[in-house]
């Protein structure tokens, strides 16, 4: 999310309507209970970096207790698959190294899962970087997940490993979030020529392959797929599968990623955001958020489970603007029974130690707690 992320396409697309499903949404299906629980919690980034030498400090067990004490029940663990492999890190990874799983590293991930579950959190394991694809830059893949059959086979190999690792764990305690923010990146080309978007058929092929792999281990395993177009668009063509879907809470990008250098080429030139109000050439309001989430609400009402796997705001956005926007965003999700996970518990998007210059932090057991944000998260 934070470092080396190629997300200009995401920010641009996050402001677009999901037209294929938004059409006719005013007369959408009758409101129904979400098939997924309304989980509320955080992303934990211990294995977010593909290089363990650059990874975050290990999340202490007490963090999960604090989460439980504050009323939260969900932890998403975005993993970069190279973080738990053995290979020569002085060179770009080779295809024949993609399956060299380091059990010492996967044991650490397993420990993180069990700590979270000890404090009554549902854990969602996610491949943030999968063989052949990631929304992030900063690592050279040896092939393209969307066009290479070996990449798809390796992707399924990794999911089979995790499905077996947690074969006997109830779906109430663990789920498998297949791939973080799928898209067709501008720098991905193949023998078919340049593409501008990830076709639904390409995404369905991957979902079906992983679905069959995971369900082959345990039919009751819970599977979640991130929305197409970097998590923004409802996935079409998979209603025959028992797959829940995960959306994003980063719209509009001028709020969520204000002055984020990995998104904007000239971050200092951006207009100061307000909420609600006119910012640049767009008027920002709760109505625009309602329009954004309507296809996801319709999907939930159609009987597919929906959760917001990532949401939040970079620490350069004025705090009062962030909280006003986030209150509306979380309100829309909450009113429709859709849970959420803040992009990160501890860090620049987080509840702890976010480094904002306009917040009077509370000292909480040696950590800088954003009490106003915590109060908002607890209310929804």
């Amino acid at each position: 999310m934070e470092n080396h992320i190629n997300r200009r396409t995401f920010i641009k697309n996050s402001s677009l309507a999901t037209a294929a499903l938004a059409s006719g949404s005013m007369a959408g299906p009758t409101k129904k209970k979400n098939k997924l629980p309304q989980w509320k919690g955080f992303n934990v980034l211990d294995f977010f970096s593909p290089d363990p030498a650059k990874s975050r400090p290990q999340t202490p067990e007490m963090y999960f207790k604090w989460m439980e004490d504050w009323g939260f029940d969900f932890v998403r663990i975005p993993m970069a698959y190279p973080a738990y492999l053995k290979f020569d890190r002085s060179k770009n990874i080779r295809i024949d190294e993609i399956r060299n799983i380091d059990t010492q590293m996967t044991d650490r991930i397993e420990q993180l899962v069990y700590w979270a579950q000890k404090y009554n959190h549902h854990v969602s394991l996610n491949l943030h970087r999968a063989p052949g694809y990631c929304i992030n830059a900063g690592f050279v893949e040896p092939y393209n997940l969307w066009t290479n059959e070996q990449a798809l086979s390796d992707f399924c190999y990794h999911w089979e490993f995790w499905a077996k690792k947690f074969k006997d764990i109830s779906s109430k305690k663990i789920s498998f979030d297949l791939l973080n923010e799928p898209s067709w990146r501008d720098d991905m080309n193949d023998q078919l020529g340049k593409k501008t978007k990830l076709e639904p058929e390409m995404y369905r092929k991957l979902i079906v392959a992983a679905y069959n792999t995971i369900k082959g281990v345990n039919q009751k395993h819970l599977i979640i797929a991130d929305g197409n177009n970097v998590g923004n668009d409802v996935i079409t063509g998979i209603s025959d599968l028992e797959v829940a879907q995960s959306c994003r809470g980063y719209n509009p990008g001028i709020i969520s990623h204000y002055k984020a250098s990995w998104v904007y080429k000239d971050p200092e030139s951006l207009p100061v955001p307000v909420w609600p109000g006119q910012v640049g050439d767009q008027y920002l309001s709760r109505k625009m958020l309602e329009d954004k989430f309507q296809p996801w609400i319709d999907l939930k009402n159609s009987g597919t489970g929906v959760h917001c796997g990532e949401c939040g705001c970079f620490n350069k956005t004025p705090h009062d603007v962030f909280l006003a926007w986030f209150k509306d965003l979380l309100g829309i999700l909450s009113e429709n029974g859709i849970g959420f996970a803040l992009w990160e518990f501890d860090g620049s998007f987080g509840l702890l130690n976010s480094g904002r210059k306009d917040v009077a932090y509370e000292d909480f057991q040696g950590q800088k707690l954003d009490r106003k944000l915590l109060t908002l998260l607890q209310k929804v």
Side-chain angles (χ1 to χ4, degrees):
M1 219 4 251
E2 195 173 328
N3 295 319
H4 308 295
I5 297 179
N6 179 1
R7 307 195 69 168
R8 291 184 176 88
T9 300
F10 157 55
I11 296 302
K12 177 179 69 175
N13 291 340
S14 70
S15 297
L16 302 177
T18 51
L21 286 161
S23 177
S25 63
M26 294 299 290
T30 304
K31 187 172 183 178
K32 292 183 180 178
K33 181 178 175 61
N34 196 343
K35 199 169 183 179
L36 284 182
Q38 195 176 341
W39 294 309
K40 301 174 185 179
F42 304 89
N43 284 260
V44 173
L45 309 187
D46 296 41
F47 298 94
F48 171 68
S49 172
D51 184 356
K54 299 177 181 179
S55 64
R56 300 286 187 92
Q58 180 175 302
T59 298
E61 181 180 350
M62 64 183 177
Y63 276 16
F64 299 109
K65 183 180 186 303
W66 294 351
M67 292 178 197
E68 181 188 33
D69 290 345
W70 290 334
F72 301 102
D73 60 1
F74 180 86
V75 169
R76 181 174 181 258
I77 303 176
M79 304 180 295
Y81 80 93
Y84 58 82
L85 295 185
K86 291 180 179 178
F87 66 98
D88 183 353
R89 296 182 184 274
S90 69
K91 303 175 183 178
N92 292 336
I93 195 169
R94 303 191 311 266
I95 292 176
D96 64 342
E97 296 174 317
I98 298 289
R99 301 190 181 195
N100 293 348
I101 290 177
D102 182 347
T103 57
Q104 286 189 330
M105 294 300 290
T106 57
D107 285 349
R108 287 178 54 195
I109 295 173
E110 186 175 16
Q111 177 65 70
L112 197 67
V113 170
Y114 289 146
W115 272 353
Q117 291 174 342
K118 176 181 176 180
Y119 296 98
N120 299 306
H121 300 290
H122 176 92
V123 175
S124 186
L125 280 183
N126 164 249
L127 278 182
H128 192 279
R129 174 174 293 279
Y133 175 78
C134 186
I135 193 61
N136 291 33
F139 186 87
V140 179
E141 295 291 339
Y143 43 26
N144 184 331
L145 177 57
W146 305 115
T147 60
N148 186 284
E149 291 299 322
Q150 183 60 51
L152 181 59
S153 176
D154 291 338
F155 177 74
C156 291
Y157 178 89
H158 280 260
W159 276 123
E160 183 177 35
F161 173 86
W162 291 114
K164 288 180 176 178
K165 171 72 75 174
F166 300 107
K167 179 180 179 180
D168 298 320
I169 304 300
S170 167
S171 61
K172 293 181 180 180
K173 294 185 176 182
I174 198 162
S175 56
F176 303 92
D177 181 352
L178 300 179
L179 179 66
N180 183 72
E181 297 176 358
S183 70
W184 187 269
R185 283 175 43 145
D186 292 341
D187 58 352
M188 296 192 308
N189 295 285
D190 65 4
Q191 68 275 13
L192 301 178
K194 182 156 182 149
K195 296 179 182 293
T196 58
K197 62 184 292 187
L198 178 62
E199 299 298 336
E201 296 79 8
M202 300 176 79
Y203 194 15
R204 176 184 165 83
K205 179 180 178 181
L206 176 136
I207 292 171
V208 168
Y211 178 93
N212 289 335
T213 297
I214 293 170
K215 291 289 188 177
V217 174
N218 183 339
Q219 279 290 328
K220 294 183 178 181
H221 272 330
L222 175 58
I223 298 172
I224 299 174
D226 283 9
N228 203 344
N229 185 28
V230 200
N232 286 298
D233 296 348
V234 168
I235 308 164
T236 58
I238 63 165
S239 59
D240 56 317
L241 303 175
E242 289 182 276
V243 175
Q245 296 194 31
S246 177
C247 62
R248 292 294 179 268
Y250 294 129
N251 182 270
I254 189 63
I255 299 285
S256 66
H257 288 71
Y258 178 59
K259 290 193 175 181
S261 61
W262 63 93
V263 172
Y264 296 102
K265 292 181 179 179
D266 187 10
E268 296 303 320
S269 69
L270 297 172
V272 177
V274 295
W275 187 271
Q278 190 75 30
V279 179
D281 60 357
Q282 56 181 335
Y283 186 82
L284 310 183
S285 68
R286 180 181 171 111
K287 176 63 165 56
M288 73 179 294
L289 290 178
E290 291 172 343
D291 292 344
K292 167 68 180 177
F293 283 113
Q294 190 59 54
W296 292 99
I297 295 167
D298 291 345
L299 179 68
K300 184 269 297 186
N301 289 336
S302 75
T304 294
V306 174
H307 186 260
C308 183
E310 290 184 22
C311 59
C313 190
F314 187 45
N315 63 10
K316 297 298 189 293
T317 303
H319 199 238
D320 59 341
V321 175
F322 164 37
L323 294 181
W325 161 75
F326 212 38
K327 180 180 179 181
D328 281 343
L329 189 151
L330 294 179
I332 293 167
L333 293 175
S334 180
E335 290 160 17
N336 290 280
I338 299 172
F340 64 87
L342 187 70
W343 180 266
E344 71 189 328
F345 184 66
D346 182 346
S348 61
F349 277 72
L351 187 59
L352 301 179
N353 308 311
S354 58
R356 297 181 183 276
K357 295 181 179 180
D358 56 351
V359 172
Y361 289 102
E362 176 182 323
D363 182 16
F364 184 84
Q365 298 192 32
Q367 308 300 320
K368 294 181 178 180
L369 170 64
D370 185 343
R371 175 63 68 174
K372 287 184 178 180
L373 176 56
L374 174 57
T375 299
L376 174 59
L377 294 171
Q378 290 174 318
K379 285 181 177 179
V380 295

